[in-house]
Amino acid sequence: MKIICATDYADMSRKAANILSAQVIMKPNCVLGLATGGTPVGTYRQLIEWYNKGDVDFSEVTTVNLDEYRGILKDNPQSYWYFMHKNFFDFVNIAPERVHVPDGANLDADAACKEYDAVIHQVGGIDLQLLGIGPDGHIGFNEPNAAFELGTHCVDLTESTIEANTRFFEKKEDVPHQAYTMGIKSIMQARKVLMVANGANKADIVKTAFFGPVTPEVPASILQMHPDFTLVLDAEAAAKL
Ligand code: PGA
Protein backbone atom coordinates (compact mmCIF):
# COMPACT_ATOMS: atom_id res chain seq x y z
CA MET A 1 0.00 0.00 0.00
CA LYS A 2 1.33 3.40 -0.99
CA ILE A 3 -0.13 6.52 0.68
CA ILE A 4 0.16 9.89 -1.03
CA CYS A 5 -0.76 12.89 1.11
CA ALA A 6 -2.11 15.88 -0.75
CA THR A 7 -2.72 19.31 0.72
CA ASP A 8 -6.33 19.80 -0.29
CA TYR A 9 -9.07 18.53 -2.64
CA ALA A 10 -7.57 20.18 -5.74
CA ASP A 11 -4.15 18.70 -4.99
CA MET A 12 -5.66 15.25 -4.30
CA SER A 13 -7.56 15.44 -7.60
CA ARG A 14 -4.45 16.48 -9.53
CA LYS A 15 -2.35 13.68 -8.03
CA ALA A 16 -5.02 11.05 -8.77
CA ALA A 17 -5.46 12.40 -12.32
CA ASN A 18 -1.69 12.16 -12.78
CA ILE A 19 -1.78 8.45 -11.91
CA LEU A 20 -4.72 7.82 -14.27
CA SER A 21 -3.18 9.76 -17.15
CA ALA A 22 0.17 7.99 -16.64
CA GLN A 23 -1.73 4.71 -17.03
CA VAL A 24 -3.34 5.93 -20.27
CA ILE A 25 -0.03 7.23 -21.64
CA MET A 26 1.82 3.99 -20.81
CA LYS A 27 -0.98 1.79 -22.20
CA PRO A 28 -3.30 3.75 -24.53
CA ASN A 29 -5.71 0.81 -24.89
CA CYS A 30 -5.98 0.21 -21.14
CA VAL A 31 -9.12 -0.66 -19.17
CA LEU A 32 -10.00 1.90 -16.50
CA GLY A 33 -12.40 0.96 -13.72
CA LEU A 34 -14.23 4.15 -12.78
CA ALA A 35 -16.27 5.36 -9.82
CA THR A 36 -19.05 7.85 -9.14
CA GLY A 37 -19.54 9.94 -5.99
CA GLY A 38 -18.44 13.41 -5.00
CA THR A 39 -14.77 12.57 -4.43
CA PRO A 40 -13.66 11.68 -7.99
CA VAL A 41 -15.40 14.64 -9.67
CA GLY A 42 -12.28 16.84 -9.32
CA THR A 43 -10.14 14.03 -10.76
CA TYR A 44 -12.38 13.85 -13.82
CA ARG A 45 -12.33 17.63 -14.15
CA GLN A 46 -8.52 17.60 -14.13
CA LEU A 47 -8.39 14.85 -16.75
CA ILE A 48 -10.78 16.85 -18.97
CA GLU A 49 -8.49 19.89 -18.64
CA TRP A 50 -5.44 17.87 -19.69
CA TYR A 51 -7.43 16.27 -22.52
CA ASN A 52 -8.35 19.77 -23.79
CA LYS A 53 -4.67 20.74 -23.73
CA GLY A 54 -3.83 17.67 -25.81
CA ASP A 55 -1.87 16.00 -23.00
CA VAL A 56 -3.97 12.83 -22.72
CA ASP A 57 -5.93 10.86 -25.31
CA PHE A 58 -8.77 8.48 -24.41
CA SER A 59 -9.54 7.26 -27.94
CA GLU A 60 -8.41 3.70 -27.26
CA VAL A 61 -9.42 3.48 -23.60
CA THR A 62 -12.14 1.11 -22.35
CA THR A 63 -14.00 1.88 -19.13
CA VAL A 64 -15.99 -0.28 -16.75
CA ASN A 65 -17.85 1.47 -13.96
CA LEU A 66 -18.20 0.00 -10.51
CA ASP A 67 -21.93 0.11 -10.00
CA GLU A 68 -25.41 1.27 -10.94
CA TYR A 69 -28.76 1.51 -9.21
CA ARG A 70 -31.15 -1.32 -10.04
CA GLY A 71 -34.36 -0.23 -11.76
CA ILE A 72 -33.08 3.04 -13.14
CA LEU A 73 -32.84 4.02 -16.81
CA LYS A 74 -29.67 5.46 -18.36
CA ASP A 75 -31.27 8.82 -19.10
CA ASN A 76 -32.45 9.25 -15.51
CA PRO A 77 -30.29 12.09 -14.13
CA GLN A 78 -29.75 10.02 -10.96
CA SER A 79 -28.28 7.07 -12.84
CA TYR A 80 -24.55 6.49 -12.64
CA TRP A 81 -24.55 6.20 -16.44
CA TYR A 82 -25.79 9.80 -16.56
CA PHE A 83 -23.35 10.93 -13.85
CA MET A 84 -20.36 9.54 -15.73
CA HIS A 85 -21.42 11.19 -18.97
CA LYS A 86 -22.11 14.59 -17.40
CA ASN A 87 -18.93 14.56 -15.33
CA PHE A 88 -16.48 12.95 -17.71
CA PHE A 89 -17.37 10.97 -20.85
CA ASP A 90 -19.18 13.83 -22.66
CA PHE A 91 -16.02 15.96 -22.47
CA VAL A 92 -13.32 13.55 -23.69
CA ASN A 93 -12.80 11.36 -26.75
CA ILE A 94 -13.86 8.06 -25.22
CA ALA A 95 -15.53 5.76 -27.79
CA PRO A 96 -19.15 5.22 -26.67
CA GLU A 97 -18.94 1.50 -27.46
CA ARG A 98 -16.04 1.12 -25.03
CA VAL A 99 -17.98 2.62 -22.09
CA HIS A 100 -19.52 0.06 -19.74
CA VAL A 101 -21.82 0.56 -16.74
CA PRO A 102 -23.95 -2.22 -15.19
CA ASP A 103 -27.40 -2.26 -16.82
CA GLY A 104 -29.70 -0.81 -14.16
CA ALA A 105 -32.68 -1.11 -16.52
CA ASN A 106 -32.39 -4.90 -16.51
CA LEU A 107 -34.46 -6.03 -13.53
CA ASP A 108 -33.25 -9.61 -13.91
CA ALA A 109 -30.43 -9.28 -11.40
CA ASP A 110 -28.77 -12.60 -12.23
CA ALA A 111 -28.67 -11.85 -15.95
CA ALA A 112 -27.51 -8.24 -15.47
CA CYS A 113 -24.67 -9.30 -13.15
CA LYS A 114 -23.53 -12.25 -15.28
CA GLU A 115 -23.51 -10.02 -18.34
CA TYR A 116 -21.34 -7.46 -16.54
CA ASP A 117 -18.82 -10.04 -15.36
CA ALA A 118 -18.65 -11.29 -18.94
CA VAL A 119 -17.89 -7.73 -20.12
CA ILE A 120 -15.05 -7.37 -17.59
CA HIS A 121 -13.67 -10.72 -18.73
CA GLN A 122 -14.01 -9.88 -22.46
CA VAL A 123 -12.10 -6.61 -22.12
CA GLY A 124 -9.26 -8.48 -20.45
CA GLY A 125 -9.76 -7.36 -16.85
CA ILE A 126 -9.15 -3.96 -15.29
CA ASP A 127 -5.74 -2.26 -15.50
CA LEU A 128 -6.49 0.50 -13.00
CA GLN A 129 -9.53 0.75 -10.76
CA LEU A 130 -10.42 4.14 -9.25
CA LEU A 131 -12.36 4.02 -5.96
CA GLY A 132 -13.89 6.27 -3.35
CA ILE A 133 -14.70 5.06 0.16
CA GLY A 134 -18.02 5.27 1.96
CA PRO A 135 -18.23 6.47 5.56
CA ASP A 136 -18.89 2.83 6.58
CA GLY A 137 -15.93 1.54 4.57
CA HIS A 138 -17.88 0.41 1.54
CA ILE A 139 -16.26 0.26 -1.89
CA GLY A 140 -18.58 0.32 -4.87
CA PHE A 141 -21.77 -0.82 -3.17
CA ASN A 142 -20.02 -3.57 -1.22
CA GLU A 143 -21.46 -2.80 2.17
CA PRO A 144 -20.11 -4.06 5.52
CA ASN A 145 -20.08 -7.86 5.71
CA ALA A 146 -20.10 -8.29 1.93
CA ALA A 147 -18.50 -11.59 0.94
CA PHE A 148 -14.97 -11.01 -0.34
CA GLU A 149 -15.31 -13.71 -2.99
CA LEU A 150 -18.15 -12.27 -5.06
CA GLY A 151 -18.10 -10.89 -8.60
CA THR A 152 -20.84 -8.51 -9.79
CA HIS A 153 -23.99 -8.94 -7.70
CA CYS A 154 -27.17 -7.21 -6.58
CA VAL A 155 -27.14 -5.59 -3.13
CA ASP A 156 -29.67 -4.09 -0.76
CA LEU A 157 -28.30 -0.69 0.24
CA THR A 158 -27.79 -0.03 3.93
CA GLU A 159 -29.58 2.75 5.73
CA SER A 160 -26.26 4.65 6.04
CA THR A 161 -25.65 4.53 2.27
CA ILE A 162 -29.22 5.55 1.47
CA GLU A 163 -28.75 8.43 3.92
CA ALA A 164 -25.40 9.44 2.35
CA ASN A 165 -26.90 9.35 -1.17
CA THR A 166 -30.00 11.36 -0.28
CA ARG A 167 -28.02 14.54 -1.06
CA PHE A 168 -28.17 13.64 -4.77
CA PHE A 169 -31.99 13.18 -4.79
CA GLU A 170 -34.90 15.49 -4.15
CA LYS A 171 -36.09 13.39 -1.22
CA LYS A 172 -34.96 10.30 0.65
CA GLU A 173 -37.88 8.19 -0.67
CA ASP A 174 -36.49 8.62 -4.19
CA VAL A 175 -33.16 6.89 -3.39
CA PRO A 176 -33.23 3.38 -4.89
CA HIS A 177 -32.81 0.56 -2.38
CA GLN A 178 -30.90 -1.86 -4.58
CA ALA A 179 -27.88 -1.68 -6.84
CA TYR A 180 -25.69 -3.83 -9.04
CA THR A 181 -22.07 -3.61 -7.99
CA MET A 182 -18.78 -5.16 -8.96
CA GLY A 183 -17.84 -7.43 -6.10
CA ILE A 184 -14.74 -7.31 -3.94
CA LYS A 185 -13.32 -10.13 -6.04
CA SER A 186 -13.65 -8.05 -9.24
CA ILE A 187 -12.01 -5.07 -7.53
CA MET A 188 -9.16 -7.15 -6.08
CA GLN A 189 -8.48 -8.62 -9.52
CA ALA A 190 -7.75 -5.15 -10.96
CA ARG A 191 -4.02 -4.92 -11.67
CA LYS A 192 -3.79 -1.56 -9.88
CA VAL A 193 -6.18 0.12 -7.47
CA LEU A 194 -6.27 3.87 -6.77
CA MET A 195 -8.44 5.27 -3.98
CA VAL A 196 -9.22 8.93 -3.40
CA ALA A 197 -10.56 10.27 -0.10
CA ASN A 198 -10.92 13.80 1.20
CA GLY A 199 -12.47 15.70 4.06
CA ALA A 200 -12.63 15.32 7.82
CA ASN A 201 -15.62 12.95 7.59
CA LYS A 202 -13.34 10.33 5.97
CA ALA A 203 -10.51 10.55 8.54
CA ASP A 204 -11.86 7.86 10.89
CA ILE A 205 -12.76 5.35 8.20
CA VAL A 206 -9.40 5.79 6.44
CA LYS A 207 -7.63 4.96 9.71
CA THR A 208 -9.90 1.99 10.47
CA ALA A 209 -9.76 0.55 6.97
CA PHE A 210 -6.03 0.79 6.35
CA PHE A 211 -4.50 0.64 9.84
CA GLY A 212 -6.97 -1.76 11.43
CA PRO A 213 -7.66 -5.45 10.82
CA VAL A 214 -8.70 -6.78 7.42
CA THR A 215 -12.33 -7.70 7.96
CA PRO A 216 -15.55 -7.95 5.93
CA GLU A 217 -17.04 -5.52 8.46
CA VAL A 218 -14.89 -2.88 6.72
CA PRO A 219 -14.92 -3.88 3.04
CA ALA A 220 -12.16 -1.44 2.00
CA SER A 221 -9.75 -3.07 4.49
CA ILE A 222 -9.16 -5.93 2.01
CA LEU A 223 -7.20 -3.45 -0.12
CA GLN A 224 -4.36 -3.79 2.40
CA MET A 225 -3.77 -7.14 0.70
CA HIS A 226 -3.74 -5.76 -2.85
CA PRO A 227 -0.26 -5.89 -4.43
CA ASP A 228 -0.54 -2.47 -6.10
CA PHE A 229 -2.80 -0.19 -4.08
CA THR A 230 -2.35 3.60 -3.92
CA LEU A 231 -4.31 5.81 -1.56
CA VAL A 232 -4.43 9.55 -2.27
CA LEU A 233 -5.66 11.60 0.70
CA ASP A 234 -6.08 15.27 1.38
CA ALA A 235 -4.75 16.62 4.67
CA GLU A 236 -8.13 16.33 6.43
CA ALA A 237 -8.68 12.68 5.49
CA ALA A 238 -5.09 11.89 6.54
CA ALA A 239 -5.38 13.78 9.84
CA LYS A 240 -5.75 10.69 12.06
CA LEU A 241 -2.94 8.59 10.55
P1 PGA B 1 -18.28 10.16 -2.01
O1 PGA B 1 -18.72 8.64 -1.98
O2 PGA B 1 -17.13 10.23 -2.98
O3 PGA B 1 -19.47 10.89 -2.53
O4 PGA B 1 -17.87 10.53 -0.63
C1 PGA B 1 -17.77 7.66 -1.81
C2 PGA B 1 -18.43 6.30 -1.81
O5 PGA B 1 -19.53 6.16 -1.24
O6 PGA B 1 -17.85 5.37 -2.36
Side-chain angles (χ1 to χ4, degrees):
M1 176 168 69
K2 192 184 295 165
I3 300 181
I4 299 178
C5 288
T7 47
D8 54 15
Y9 182 72
D11 189 34
M12 177 206 77
S13 302
R14 204 163 41 238
K15 286 179 160 63
N18 255 310
I19 295 170
L20 281 154
S21 57
Q23 171 68 61
V24 175
I25 290 165
M26 297 301 284
K27 186 179 175 189
N29 63 346
C30 65
V31 178
L32 299 180
L34 297 180
T36 54
T39 317
V41 168
T43 305
Y44 296 139
R45 215 175 284 142
Q46 182 65 76
L47 287 173
I48 293 166
E49 196 182 311
W50 288 336
Y51 164 74
N52 285 330
K53 282 190 183 158
D55 289 343
V56 58
D57 171 19
F58 295 94
S59 62
E60 292 178 55
V61 169
T62 294
T63 65
V64 283
N65 256 80
L66 275 174
D67 45 17
E68 179 60 282
Y69 291 118
R70 174 173 180 263
I72 212 161
L73 300 178
K74 285 177 178 172
D75 59 1
N76 184 323
Q78 304 301 347
S79 77
Y80 286 174
W81 170 273
Y82 193 94
F83 177 100
M84 285 308 301
H85 283 78
K86 294 300 159 205
N87 285 287
F88 187 42
F89 298 147
D90 285 354
F91 304 96
V92 295
N93 62 339
I94 272 193
E97 67 277 12
R98 280 199 279 272
V99 163
H100 305 281
V101 179
D103 183 6
N106 186 352
L107 294 179
D108 181 342
D110 272 358
C113 294
K114 274 205 190 94
E115 190 186 298
Y116 205 62
D117 279 339
V119 166
I120 297 171
H121 183 73
Q122 264 160 30
V123 300
I126 299 163
D127 288 301
L128 174 57
Q129 176 67 53
L130 175 65
L131 295 175
I133 182 167
D136 59 358
H138 72 226
I139 45 178
F141 273 127
N142 294 283
E143 303 280 16
N145 296 313
F148 281 162
E149 68 275 16
L150 288 179
T152 307
H153 59 289
C154 182
V155 293
D156 295 325
L157 306 187
T158 60
E159 197 50 40
S160 122
T161 297
I162 292 171
E163 197 63 55
N165 288 2
T166 302
R167 66 199 148 124
F168 299 114
F169 291 79
E170 251 174 48
K171 47 188 192 310
K172 192 174 161 189
E173 298 78 73
D174 294 342
V175 186
H177 285 205
Q178 285 190 313
Y180 300 141
T181 185
M182 269 187 212
I184 301 281
K185 185 173 93 177
S186 333
I187 295 169
M188 287 299 281
Q189 283 175 343
R191 289 180 270 280
K192 295 185 196 129
V193 177
L194 168 64
M195 177 179 280
V196 281
N198 74 292
N201 66 327
K202 297 287 170 75
D204 282 324
I205 192 61
V206 163
K207 181 162 188 229
T208 308
F210 304 114
F211 291 86
V214 174
T215 161
E217 282 163 39
V218 184
S221 65
I222 188 73
L223 294 166
Q224 293 181 40
M225 319 286 288
H226 192 282
D228 193 341
F229 171 51
T230 304
L231 178 58
V232 185
L233 304 171
D234 78 340
E236 287 183 342
K240 300 209 168 154
L241 304 188

Short mmCIF file of all heavy atoms in Angstrom, two decimals, residues 36-40 132-135 138-140 165 167-168 202, ligand 1:
data_model
loop_
_atom_site.label_atom_id
_atom_site.label_comp_id
_atom_site.label_asym_id
_atom_site.label_seq_id
_atom_site.Cartn_x
_atom_site.Cartn_y
_atom_site.Cartn_z
N THR A 36 -18.25 6.63 -9.28
CA THR A 36 -19.05 7.85 -9.14
C THR A 36 -18.85 8.39 -7.72
O THR A 36 -17.98 7.91 -6.99
CB THR A 36 -20.54 7.54 -9.40
OG1 THR A 36 -20.91 6.46 -8.54
CG2 THR A 36 -20.78 7.14 -10.84
N GLY A 37 -19.67 9.35 -7.33
CA GLY A 37 -19.54 9.94 -5.99
C GLY A 37 -18.93 11.32 -6.10
O GLY A 37 -18.43 11.71 -7.17
N GLY A 38 -18.97 12.04 -4.99
CA GLY A 38 -18.44 13.41 -5.00
C GLY A 38 -16.93 13.44 -5.12
O GLY A 38 -16.37 14.34 -5.77
N THR A 39 -16.24 12.49 -4.51
CA THR A 39 -14.77 12.57 -4.43
C THR A 39 -14.08 12.59 -5.80
O THR A 39 -13.21 13.42 -6.02
CB THR A 39 -14.22 11.42 -3.56
OG1 THR A 39 -15.05 11.29 -2.41
CG2 THR A 39 -12.79 11.70 -3.14
N PRO A 40 -14.42 11.69 -6.73
CA PRO A 40 -13.66 11.68 -7.99
C PRO A 40 -13.99 12.78 -9.00
O PRO A 40 -13.31 12.88 -10.02
CB PRO A 40 -13.97 10.29 -8.60
CG PRO A 40 -15.18 9.80 -7.91
CD PRO A 40 -15.39 10.59 -6.67
N GLY A 132 -13.70 5.42 -4.51
CA GLY A 132 -13.89 6.27 -3.35
C GLY A 132 -14.12 5.33 -2.17
O GLY A 132 -14.06 4.11 -2.31
N ILE A 133 -14.38 5.91 -1.01
CA ILE A 133 -14.70 5.06 0.16
C ILE A 133 -15.91 5.66 0.87
O ILE A 133 -16.00 6.88 1.04
CB ILE A 133 -13.48 4.93 1.11
CG1 ILE A 133 -13.80 3.99 2.28
CG2 ILE A 133 -12.97 6.28 1.61
CD1 ILE A 133 -12.57 3.56 3.09
N GLY A 134 -16.84 4.80 1.24
CA GLY A 134 -18.02 5.27 1.96
C GLY A 134 -17.69 5.45 3.44
O GLY A 134 -16.72 4.88 3.94
N PRO A 135 -18.50 6.23 4.15
CA PRO A 135 -18.23 6.47 5.56
C PRO A 135 -18.25 5.17 6.39
O PRO A 135 -17.66 5.12 7.47
CB PRO A 135 -19.36 7.40 6.00
CG PRO A 135 -20.24 7.61 4.83
CD PRO A 135 -19.66 6.94 3.63
N HIS A 138 -17.50 1.13 2.76
CA HIS A 138 -17.88 0.41 1.54
C HIS A 138 -17.06 0.87 0.34
O HIS A 138 -16.56 1.98 0.29
CB HIS A 138 -19.40 0.51 1.27
CG HIS A 138 -19.89 1.84 0.82
ND1 HIS A 138 -21.01 2.44 1.35
CD2 HIS A 138 -19.42 2.71 -0.11
CE1 HIS A 138 -21.20 3.60 0.74
NE2 HIS A 138 -20.27 3.79 -0.14
N ILE A 139 -16.88 -0.07 -0.60
CA ILE A 139 -16.26 0.26 -1.89
C ILE A 139 -17.22 -0.25 -2.96
O ILE A 139 -17.74 -1.35 -2.86
CB ILE A 139 -14.83 -0.33 -2.05
CG1 ILE A 139 -14.72 -1.78 -1.59
CG2 ILE A 139 -13.82 0.54 -1.32
CD1 ILE A 139 -13.34 -2.40 -1.78
N GLY A 140 -17.45 0.59 -4.00
CA GLY A 140 -18.58 0.32 -4.87
C GLY A 140 -19.78 0.30 -3.94
O GLY A 140 -19.89 1.14 -3.03
N ASN A 165 -26.57 9.05 0.23
CA ASN A 165 -26.90 9.35 -1.17
C ASN A 165 -28.11 10.24 -1.33
O ASN A 165 -28.40 10.70 -2.44
CB ASN A 165 -27.11 8.05 -1.95
CG ASN A 165 -25.79 7.33 -2.17
OD1 ASN A 165 -24.76 7.79 -1.70
ND2 ASN A 165 -25.82 6.21 -2.86
N ARG A 167 -28.42 13.20 -0.58
CA ARG A 167 -28.02 14.54 -1.06
C ARG A 167 -28.14 14.68 -2.58
O ARG A 167 -28.26 15.77 -3.10
CB ARG A 167 -26.60 14.88 -0.58
CG ARG A 167 -25.52 14.00 -1.20
CD ARG A 167 -24.22 14.04 -0.40
NE ARG A 167 -23.57 12.74 -0.52
CZ ARG A 167 -22.33 12.56 -0.97
NH1 ARG A 167 -21.59 13.57 -1.29
NH2 ARG A 167 -21.84 11.34 -1.07
N PHE A 168 -28.09 13.55 -3.31
CA PHE A 168 -28.17 13.64 -4.77
C PHE A 168 -29.62 13.59 -5.27
O PHE A 168 -29.88 13.74 -6.46
CB PHE A 168 -27.40 12.48 -5.42
CG PHE A 168 -25.92 12.48 -5.07
CD1 PHE A 168 -25.37 11.46 -4.31
CD2 PHE A 168 -25.10 13.51 -5.51
CE1 PHE A 168 -24.01 11.46 -4.00
CE2 PHE A 168 -23.75 13.53 -5.20
CZ PHE A 168 -23.20 12.50 -4.44
N LYS A 202 -13.93 11.60 6.41
CA LYS A 202 -13.34 10.33 5.97
C LYS A 202 -12.14 9.93 6.85
O LYS A 202 -11.58 8.85 6.67
CB LYS A 202 -12.91 10.42 4.50
CG LYS A 202 -14.06 10.64 3.50
CD LYS A 202 -14.92 9.41 3.31
CE LYS A 202 -16.20 9.70 2.53
NZ LYS A 202 -16.02 9.88 1.11
P1 PGA B 1 -18.28 10.16 -2.01
O1 PGA B 1 -18.72 8.64 -1.98
O2 PGA B 1 -17.13 10.23 -2.98
O3 PGA B 1 -19.47 10.89 -2.53
O4 PGA B 1 -17.87 10.53 -0.63
C1 PGA B 1 -17.77 7.66 -1.81
C2 PGA B 1 -18.43 6.30 -1.81
O5 PGA B 1 -19.53 6.16 -1.24
O6 PGA B 1 -17.85 5.37 -2.36
#
